[in-house]
Amino acid sequence: MRYFEVYAWTECPFCSHAKELLIEKGEQFMFCCLDQSDALLRFLKGKYNWNTVPMIIEKHTEENYEKFIGGFTDLAKYLEAE
């Protein structure tokens, strides 16, 4: 199964747009708000070498595979190219 992890802030418009796009496309996703999780946000920024939210990762359960997509604009381009 493929799904997306979206690390976001509650009040971020780009985070909301990413969630709306995934719903529109019928994709499975997990939406994780990091409003109160500064340490986790710092960890994820370092892990994926990305400094803004949303941070969107494509996951595949069968292959135990993940691909970092980027932010909302990157997600829109990625889904459009499929």
Side-chain angles (χ1 to χ4, degrees), residues 16-61:
S16 297
H17 292 324
K19 180 170 71 171
E20 291 165 7
L21 179 60
L22 290 167
I23 290 169
E24 176 186 310
K25 296 288 187 178
E27 296 288 351
Q28 299 292 305
F29 66 94
M30 177 185 73
F31 192 84
C32 181
C33 293
L34 300 172
D35 297 355
Q36 304 301 319
S37 302
D38 294 339
L40 179 56
L41 179 58
R42 279 192 305 276
F43 168 77
L44 292 167
K45 283 180 175 183
K47 178 178 180 179
Y48 295 111
N49 194 28
W50 195 259
N51 289 320
T52 59
V53 293
M55 285 184 250
I56 304 165
I57 301 99
E58 179 183 34
K59 307 279 267 192
H60 292 266
T61 58

Side-chain angles (χ1 to χ4, degrees), residues 66-80:
E66 75 173 27
K67 176 180 181 177
F68 183 76
I69 303 298
F72 166 69
T73 305
D74 303 297
L75 175 65
K77 289 177 186 175
Y78 184 74
L79 293 176
E80 184 68 29

